[in-house]
Amino acid sequence: INMLLLKHPKTSQSIEINEFWLRDHCRCVECLNFETNQRRYDVLDLPADIMPLDVKYDGMNLQVQWSDAHKSNYDLDFIFDSQLERLIGRRSKSTNLTPWNRSIILQNERHLRFPLPQLVSSDNEVRSLVESLVRYGIVFIDDVAPTANMTELALRRVFPLMKTFFGEMWTFSDNPDHADTAYTKLYLGSHTDNTYFCDAAGLQALHCIEHSGSGGENFFVDGLHVVHELKRRYPAAYDVLCSVQVPGEYIEKGEHHYHTAPIIQVDPLTQEFVQLRLNVYDRAVFNTIPQAEMAEFYDSLRQLLLIVRDKQQQWALKLCPGSIVLFDNWRVLHGREAYTGSRTMSGSYVQRTDFLSKARVLGIID
């Protein structure tokens, strides 16, 4: 295999670079369209046996004359920063996330509140909101008039909304508009939404428009903290829930959604937490493992659910008209107590890719 040994002039670190990779990562105007930030050529446009004919160092610059008559100039920092070890190091050292239980989040609640007038007038306030959403997985937008229109206006100040069969904005009460337990007055245990979608919503927003009655307190649980606890206390259960494919399903007239994935999803490079996909209501027929493995799976799921249900993990609060809660649906579980009287909620989803894009544009994540 054709490898080129490179040495960093400042750190003296040496790395071996695949020659084809190096040619493929030429950043000149012929190879990269600077207006679109896209490559200008196909991999097949490069000869398979490409090789460097001449290599020169000029300070932090590397000059290469290639066998296909192309000349490349590389910034050596770019080459060294573009290696797998660096990527894993950056992801693993990220201090963007604060796992929380009830007592930790109550100490940090002041970092989660953002009045709508400030959000409208200040881009810095928007950045602070996204930063807190990345760190804690939950924020509140306060001083919002309790209407669906103002809820939508507040959310669109920060993110584009995700369109699903529920609509872009949805309003629900106990009228059975959809075949979903949310559209009742019943108790709803901690869960994430959209386990039946190929790509579950990245964020979810809820705003209590009106409630004349009692009950209906919401509770939130940090899936990141829960998964850390599960891994610490029951590593075997953690391994099972990272690997067993669990199907989710949603059926109503004109809709049939179905998706299979593990309950806990981790970054394949770092093994760090990416998504908790937990909804006991939307579980489909469970036929993805042999019967001989069922006992181990159910034991593992019970261990996770017992941690989720622990009152120390649950932040309970009453959602009042005027405050939108916006939370990471890949991380934070939500539920609610049963209620009486008339209660109307307005809500929306944001795609995961739009949430992360915004965080990258604002320099909060890589």
Side-chain angles (χ1 to χ4, degrees):
I1 298 168
N2 299 330
M3 305 292 280
L4 185 64
L5 184 68
L6 296 182
K7 190 171 180 180
H8 196 287
K10 289 184 181 166
T11 65
S12 297
Q13 183 194 355
S14 293
I15 50 171
E16 282 196 309
I17 297 290
N18 174 275
E19 292 172 355
F20 195 94
W21 180 92
L22 191 61
R23 174 64 186 86
D24 186 38
H25 282 78
C26 178
R27 298 331 242 178
C28 80
V29 69
E30 288 176 46
C31 295
L32 194 68
N33 184 328
F34 285 94
E35 286 179 15
T36 66
N37 212 30
Q38 289 174 302
R39 311 284 187 110
R40 287 189 184 272
Y41 60 86
D42 190 320
V43 168
L44 292 176
D45 294 336
L46 303 177
D49 58 355
I50 192 115
M51 55 190 289
L53 301 179
D54 187 43
V55 178
K56 284 197 188 104
Y57 288 90
D58 178 13
M60 289 301 294
N61 201 35
L62 183 75
Q63 298 169 348
V64 182
Q65 173 71 53
W66 294 99
S67 56
D68 65 350
H70 190 73
K71 273 187 186 169
S72 299
N73 280 299
Y74 300 92
D75 175 352
L76 280 159
D77 277 336
F78 165 74
I79 296 173
F80 278 76
D81 281 344
S82 300
Q83 304 311 308
L84 174 61
E85 297 74 29
R86 292 281 178 98
L87 174 64
I88 291 174
R90 280 195 299 274
R91 287 190 186 174
S92 304
K93 286 194 187 77
S94 168
T95 53
N96 281 337
L97 308 179
T98 299
W100 53 264
N101 56 18
R102 185 170 168 273
S103 62
I104 294 169
I105 201 69
L106 287 172
Q107 288 161 26
N108 288 285
E109 190 177 354
R110 66 188 182 283
H111 301 309
L112 311 180
R113 297 259 166 200
F114 299 88
L116 181 58
Q118 277 94 307
L119 277 178
V120 169
S121 62
S122 161
D123 288 343
N124 278 343
E125 193 80 356
V126 170
R127 189 185 188 282
S128 296
L129 180 147
V130 178
E131 210 164 15
S132 284
L133 199 46
V134 168
R135 179 170 293 288
Y136 299 103
I138 185 167
V139 295
F140 297 84
I141 304 175
D142 295 320
D143 305 334
V144 183
T147 67
N149 282 348
M150 282 307 291
T151 305
E152 179 172 359
L153 182 118
L155 294 172
R156 285 192 191 278
R157 171 66 179 111
V158 193
F159 298 109
L161 305 183
M162 173 180 176
K163 190 166 190 179
T164 68
F165 64 87
F166 295 109
E168 275 187 326
M169 291 293 301
W170 22 267
T171 301
F172 65 93
S173 57
D174 52 9
N175 295 327
D177 298 333
H178 290 279
D180 195 301
T181 315
Y183 290 76
T184 67
K185 294 182 180 181
L186 303 173
Y187 166 85
L188 260 179
S190 297
H191 64 280
T192 61
D193 278 20
N194 307 154
T195 55
Y196 43 79
F197 281 167
C198 301
D199 193 27
L203 301 174
Q204 182 173 355
L206 293 170
H207 186 188
C208 180
I209 300 294
E210 60 94 28
H211 183 197
S212 57
S214 63
E217 291 81 10
N218 281 81
F219 40 90
F220 299 93
V221 174
D222 185 10
L224 176 64
H225 191 269
V226 162
V227 166
H228 285 177
E229 284 293 298
L230 182 74
K231 189 176 183 181
R232 187 175 66 79
R233 296 188 212 170
Y234 310 111
Y238 171 83
D239 289 341
V240 166
L241 298 184
C242 284
S243 59
V244 172
Q245 298 283 326
V246 178
E249 188 168 42
Y250 185 99
I251 302 170
E252 69 175 41
K253 191 171 166 53
E255 300 288 340
H256 189 163
H257 298 268
Y258 183 95
H259 183 60
T260 301
I263 288 175
I264 300 168
Q265 295 194 274
V266 298
D267 184 319
L269 297 179
T270 63
Q271 302 305 304
E272 297 204 347
F273 174 87
V274 171
Q275 181 184 13
L276 182 60
R277 197 179 149 273
L278 184 63
N279 190 316
V280 297
Y281 304 99
D282 292 331
R283 287 177 303 140
V285 171
F286 186 41
N287 54 6
T288 53
I289 55 172
Q291 287 296 324
E293 294 170 22
M294 289 295 176
E296 186 185 33
F297 170 79
Y298 281 111
D299 283 347
S300 303
L301 179 57
R302 288 176 73 88
Q303 284 169 324
L304 174 66
L305 292 171
L306 284 169
I307 299 173
V308 166
R309 206 179 277 190
D310 178 0
K311 289 292 181 207
Q312 302 289 311
Q313 304 291 347
Q314 292 187 2
W315 183 23
L317 59 135
K318 180 96 176 193
L319 293 180
C320 298
S323 286
I324 300 170
V325 62
L326 180 61
F327 55 93
D328 184 339
N329 184 54
W330 282 35
R331 169 178 171 182
V332 172
L333 304 154
H334 65 288
R336 64 132 202 261
E337 302 292 349
Y339 68 89
T340 64
S342 163
R343 182 178 187 258
T344 304
M345 303 290 284
S346 182
S348 186
Y349 293 127
V350 174
Q351 286 195 88
R352 180 76 177 173
T353 195
D354 289 329
F355 167 39
L356 297 182
S357 167
K358 183 82 172 191
R360 283 190 204 99
V361 166
L362 293 172
I364 295 163
I365 61 171
D366 274 349

